[in-house]
Amino acid sequence: MQENPYAVVAKPGDRVADLATPRPIIDEDRLAANIARTQAYMDKHRLNFRPHIKTHKIPALAAEQIAAGAKGINCQKISEAEVFAAAGFDDILITFNIVGPQKLEALGALNDRISALKVVADSTVTTDGLSSYFASRKPLTVLVECDTGGGRCGVQTPEAARSLAKRINDAPGLSFGGLLNYPKPGAADAVQAFLSEALLLLETDGIACPIVSNGGTPSLFEAHLVGAATEHRAGTYIYNDRSMVRAGHCSEADCAMHVLATVVSRPTADRAVIDAGSKALTSDLLGFTDFGTVVGYPEAVITGLSEEHGVIDLAKCGDRRPEIGEKIRIIPNHTCVVSNLFDTMVFHRNGVVTRVEDVTARGLVW
Amino acid sequence: MQENPYAVVAKPGDRVADLATPRPIIDEDRLAANIARTQAYMDKHRLNFRPHIKTHKIPALAAEQIAAGAKGINCQKISEAEVFAAAGFDDILITFNIVGPQKLEALGALNDRISALKVVADSTVTTDGLSSYFASRKPLTVLVECDTGGGRCGVQTPEAARSLAKRINDAPGLSFGGLLNYPKPGAADAVQAFLSEALLLLETDGIACPIVSNGGTPSLFEAHLVGAATEHRAGTYIYNDRSMVRAGHCSEADCAMHVLATVVSRPTADRAVIDAGSKALTSDLLGFTDFGTVVGYPEAVITGLSEEHGVIDLAKCGDRRPEIGEKIRIIPNHTCVVSNLFDTMVFHRNGVVTRVEDVTARGLVW
């Protein structure tokens, strides 16, 4: 690959206002406060905390999360786990059904490398595939993924969770690690009901369940309502974003990531065009009908994105409107996907660059 | 940056069916037919053709487009143009208002390097910025961007186009290169009316207008209806995608890019979950309410994407439904943004890998 000519984008001491755009920037103080506030909540409720690194994909930030008290990390794919294992992390949970020969081989190498690798499964097809691969190797720890209402992966009933747990417990090469779910926000009661019933069934069978892992940032501060859980996983809380503000998890002042953009056109009185499109902000709507909050221009609406342009409707703004050449800051709908688009992330305190980190696990495929 | 451990994904002779997923794949025969069909149309109508490389970001493909008869290439940002200039392309049009000191400096270096660099502008703020930078350097060619109904950048009237053209013509360091627009599909009459009126005004002023550049894939085969244009720009036509099928530009059999994915979960009879989420397919809806067409399962609906999971509703499918471990192919809503997410692109003929190309201009910032 050709070296990215824009990989070195800033150095400590540079002013954020002077950066070329588009460019996501991270406020150090908000970042630190987000880490501290969440860890304090988990500590208060004696829940183990496992940050999801998909949000930042930066080993140095995971190290800050661990230093604050997190128990281990959560990755969403093997390649992310490889990057973090190489950076020295040992307790890694990959919340994905691993299927297919290349992925099994990569998973085997990773399991040999670190001591506390864990994956999830929600079907006997997945567990049988894992068992045939790991039967002749160092055993792999597998949690049963439960669908407690999130509507993605997961067994559908506590009875099905029990049945798959038994299968894992009996399978050569596998060790049953516990239960896991990814809930709908605000559904703590349903989660608790599902998980506690599954735990009872496992107890009846005499199967130990070391981990019960609940997840999600939107419902993070309801984690204590799920008494069955031993740990909580969350990613977005470290940066926060517009969807987290809407969910009531935080305020705009807690959003550590802004995307810096420049107004490059003002074709009409009511229209501004910026140099941040879907390749900077992404097209993730997450239920919104527009593509981010413009800081300082609350009436401005980012109505459309093409790849390198963002179109902003200023019709509801007063007389003060962004002019060509002006830099604006946008709180993105979804920070995790923005991280995936940039090779480097710029951090600042009060507008002065503090550090530039490689987004080491960016753009990896599986 | 750490080397991507999955950068080498396949070699010629490998079977596409054996590739680890998610993975976009390009059908060589469809690719070649798309290039040939479009170039033949342009040749027939004596229009210069300028492919937009944002769709593929691969110099080898631009070389195939030039070999077929294209006049030059279109880039959307300076970094893309730098990659293609380094690969030997000389006639490059950057369809973006260049604003800000770092971008001006990069543009100056690029203008020194190649002979036929061109950019666009739609305001005196942009042209004044260009002029102050280029006054003491090799002159830069600037086209006036016109908003003929596309609703993004561009001057709003033919009179405004004339006025900005005069300003460029008189500005130190700048050379007026012509007119450019990015139209709404199906609006050839409005485009022709705007451009021909602007041309008349320029003629009145005695200002030569070497290029009149019209664009877009959805309206590509209407390009001949805009008699004022001397050239047409299009990107997506080389791969085609679901939005192009909907626009009537092509059929599903002309879609050269499929995203290969594996079913990793079947939590219910009506739900499948695949390992392609928004970091493979992107969240681009382009007016659709779902995220791609599943080849061979026309009733399947990709209802939701999280970052690494895609959720498919199978309720309307018959008895034959994709099973865990099965690989499926998806025609994405929008190919250009998929290209931006992968370091390498795999090409095949009849399911056998022919080559693997670096997506050299992927993930560059500005």
Side-chain angles (χ1 to χ4, degrees):
Chain A
M1 294 296 292
Q2 168 157 343
E3 188 70 15
N4 183 335
Y6 300 100
V8 179
V9 296
K11 56 183 189 313
D14 287 354
R15 280 161 35 98
V16 159
D18 294 335
L19 293 176
T21 57
R23 172 59 52 194
I25 53 174
I26 307 292
D27 183 303
E28 293 272 16
D29 294 330
R30 294 181 181 191
L31 176 83
N34 290 341
I35 293 173
R37 181 170 54 241
T38 298
Q39 189 62 51
Y41 167 84
M42 296 296 167
D43 290 347
K44 178 179 167 193
H45 294 287
R46 297 173 186 277
L47 269 166
N48 288 327
F49 184 45
R50 184 181 294 281
H52 203 315
I53 59 75
K54 74 186 170 107
T55 304
H56 55 70
K57 299 175 183 289
I58 299 173
L61 294 200
E64 293 171 32
Q65 292 170 308
I66 296 286
K71 164 93 177 144
I73 62 169
N74 183 189
C75 294
Q76 203 68 355
K77 48 191 176 187
I78 297 171
S79 52
E80 290 177 346
E82 285 174 338
V83 166
F84 283 79
F89 295 87
D90 198 59
D91 182 348
I92 301 180
L93 168 62
I94 303 175
T95 42
F96 209 85
N97 279 281
I98 305 298
V99 174
Q102 295 98 331
K103 292 181 187 179
L104 285 172
E105 197 177 322
L107 192 66
L110 194 59
N111 197 40
D112 289 341
R113 181 172 190 168
I114 63 175
S115 69
L117 179 67
K118 295 170 269 288
V119 302
V120 302
D122 70 356
S123 75
T124 57
V125 180
T126 298
T127 60
D128 289 357
L130 291 171
S131 178
S132 21
Y133 188 83
F134 283 91
S136 56
R137 292 175 173 80
K138 176 187 162 193
L140 178 72
T141 301
V142 183
L143 284 73
V144 170
E145 180 163 4
C146 305
D147 181 0
T148 59
R152 200 167 67 184
C153 295
V155 297
Q156 297 295 300
T157 62
E159 184 53 55
R162 165 205 220 165
S163 166
L164 192 59
K166 284 175 74 170
R167 180 93 161 214
I168 293 167
N169 208 40
D170 296 341
L174 305 186
S175 163
F176 175 64
L179 303 173
L180 176 139
N181 78 308
Y182 184 73
K184 237 184 355 199
D189 288 352
V191 173
Q192 171 65 12
F194 190 116
L195 295 176
S196 57
E197 188 180 339
L199 281 172
L200 272 178
L201 294 171
L202 290 176
E203 202 180 332
T204 308
D205 291 342
I207 298 178
C209 185
I211 296 176
V212 180
S213 183
N214 184 26
T217 292
S219 55
L220 194 156
F221 293 134
E222 295 174 5
H224 66 285
L225 301 177
V226 179
T230 64
E231 73 168 29
H232 194 86
R233 312 176 318 279
T236 315
Y237 83 97
I238 189 169
Y239 288 159
N240 284 320
D241 57 25
R242 192 177 181 219
S243 75
M244 292 301 133
V245 174
R246 181 188 54 192
H249 170 74
C250 65
S251 74
E252 286 188 8
D254 300 315
C255 291
M257 177 191 277
H258 287 167
V259 176
L260 198 67
T262 301
V263 177
V264 297
S265 177
R266 281 293 311 278
T268 71
D270 287 345
R271 192 197 311 160
V273 184
I274 56 173
D275 61 358
S278 67
K279 288 178 184 166
L281 293 167
T282 87
S283 298
D284 267 26
L285 284 168
L286 297 184
F288 292 104
T289 55
D290 54 339
F291 296 94
T293 298
V294 184
V295 177
Y297 294 99
E299 297 89 2
V301 183
I302 306 174
T303 53
L305 300 180
S306 42
E307 283 149 74
E308 311 293 351
H309 295 89
V311 175
I312 306 183
D313 182 0
L314 306 174
K316 293 185 178 152
C317 295
D319 288 342
R320 197 180 64 85
R321 294 175 175 213
E323 295 303 328
I324 298 175
E326 184 175 333
K327 283 181 180 157
I328 62 174
R329 291 177 179 214
I330 297 160
I331 299 174
N333 287 349
H334 190 188
T335 51
C336 310
V337 287
V338 174
S339 289
N340 194 48
L341 294 174
F342 290 87
D343 287 343
T344 52
M345 194 59 68
V346 175
F347 295 73
H348 71 98
R349 179 169 287 117
N350 299 324
V352 177
V353 174
T354 51
R355 53 177 166 153
V356 180
E357 299 279 3
D358 285 348
V359 186
T360 318
R362 181 217 59 74
L364 302 178
V365 176
W366 46 263
Chain B
M1 294 297 291
Q2 167 157 344
E3 188 69 16
N4 183 336
Y6 300 100
V8 179
V9 297
K11 56 184 191 310
D14 286 355
R15 281 161 34 96
V16 158
D18 294 336
L19 294 176
T21 57
R23 171 59 53 194
I25 53 174
I26 308 292
D27 183 304
E28 293 272 16
D29 295 329
R30 294 181 182 191
L31 176 83
N34 290 341
I35 293 173
R37 181 169 56 241
T38 297
Q39 189 62 51
Y41 167 84
M42 297 295 167
D43 291 346
K44 178 179 167 192
H45 294 288
R46 298 173 186 277
L47 270 166
N48 289 327
F49 184 46
R50 184 181 295 279
H52 203 313
I53 59 75
K54 74 186 171 109
T55 304
H56 55 70
K57 300 177 183 288
I58 299 172
L61 294 200
E64 292 171 34
Q65 293 169 309
I66 295 287
K71 165 95 177 140
I73 62 169
N74 183 189
C75 295
Q76 203 68 356
K77 48 191 175 186
I78 297 171
S79 53
E80 289 177 347
E82 285 173 338
V83 166
F84 282 79
F89 295 87
D90 198 60
D91 182 348
I92 301 179
L93 169 62
I94 303 175
T95 42
F96 209 87
N97 280 281
I98 305 297
V99 174
Q102 294 97 332
K103 292 182 185 179
L104 286 172
E105 197 177 320
L107 192 66
L110 194 59
N111 197 40
D112 289 341
R113 181 172 189 168
I114 63 174
S115 71
L117 179 67
K118 295 170 269 289
V119 302
V120 302
D122 70 355
S123 75
T124 56
V125 180
T126 299
T127 61
D128 290 357
L130 292 170
S131 177
S132 17
Y133 188 84
F134 283 91
S136 56
R137 291 176 174 78
K138 175 187 163 192
L140 179 72
T141 300
V142 182
L143 285 73
V144 170
E145 182 163 3
C146 304
D147 181 358
T148 60
R152 201 167 66 183
C153 296
V155 297
Q156 297 296 300
T157 63
E159 184 53 56
R162 166 205 220 167
S163 167
L164 192 59
K166 284 175 76 171
R167 179 93 160 215
I168 294 167
N169 208 38
D170 296 342
L174 304 186
S175 164
F176 175 64
L179 304 172
L180 176 139
N181 79 308
Y182 184 73
K184 234 180 0 195
D189 288 353
V191 174
Q192 171 64 14
F194 189 116
L195 295 176
S196 57
E197 188 180 337
L199 281 172
L200 271 178
L201 294 170
L202 290 176
E203 202 180 335
T204 309
D205 291 342
I207 298 178
C209 184
I211 296 175
V212 181
S213 183
N214 184 26
T217 293
S219 55
L220 194 157
F221 293 133
E222 295 174 7
H224 65 285
L225 301 178
V226 180
T230 64
E231 74 168 29
H232 194 85
R233 312 177 317 281
T236 315
Y237 83 97
I238 189 169
Y239 289 158
N240 284 321
D241 57 24
R242 192 177 181 218
S243 75
M244 293 300 135
V245 174
R246 181 188 53 191
H249 170 74
C250 66
S251 74
E252 285 187 9
D254 301 315
C255 291
M257 177 192 277
H258 287 167
V259 176
L260 198 67
T262 301
V263 177
V264 297
S265 178
R266 281 292 311 279
T268 71
D270 287 346
R271 191 197 312 161
V273 183
I274 56 174
D275 60 358
S278 68
K279 287 178 184 166
L281 293 167
T282 87
S283 298
D284 267 27
L285 284 168
L286 297 183
F288 292 103
T289 55
D290 54 340
F291 297 93
T293 298
V294 183
V295 177
Y297 295 99
E299 297 89 2
V301 183
I302 307 174
T303 53
L305 300 179
S306 43
E307 283 149 74
E308 312 292 351
H309 295 90
V311 175
I312 306 182
D313 182 359
L314 306 174
K316 293 186 179 150
C317 294
D319 288 343
R320 198 181 63 86
R321 296 175 173 210
E323 294 303 327
I324 297 175
E326 184 175 334
K327 283 180 179 158
I328 62 173
R329 291 176 179 215
I330 297 160
I331 300 174
N333 287 349
H334 190 189
T335 52
C336 311
V337 287
V338 174
S339 289
N340 194 49
L341 294 175
F342 290 86
D343 287 343
T344 53
M345 193 59 69
V346 175
F347 295 73
H348 70 98
R349 180 169 287 116
N350 299 325
V352 178
V353 173
T354 52
R355 52 178 166 152
V356 180
E357 299 278 3
D358 285 348
V359 186
T360 318
R362 180 217 60 75
L364 303 179
V365 176
W366 47 264

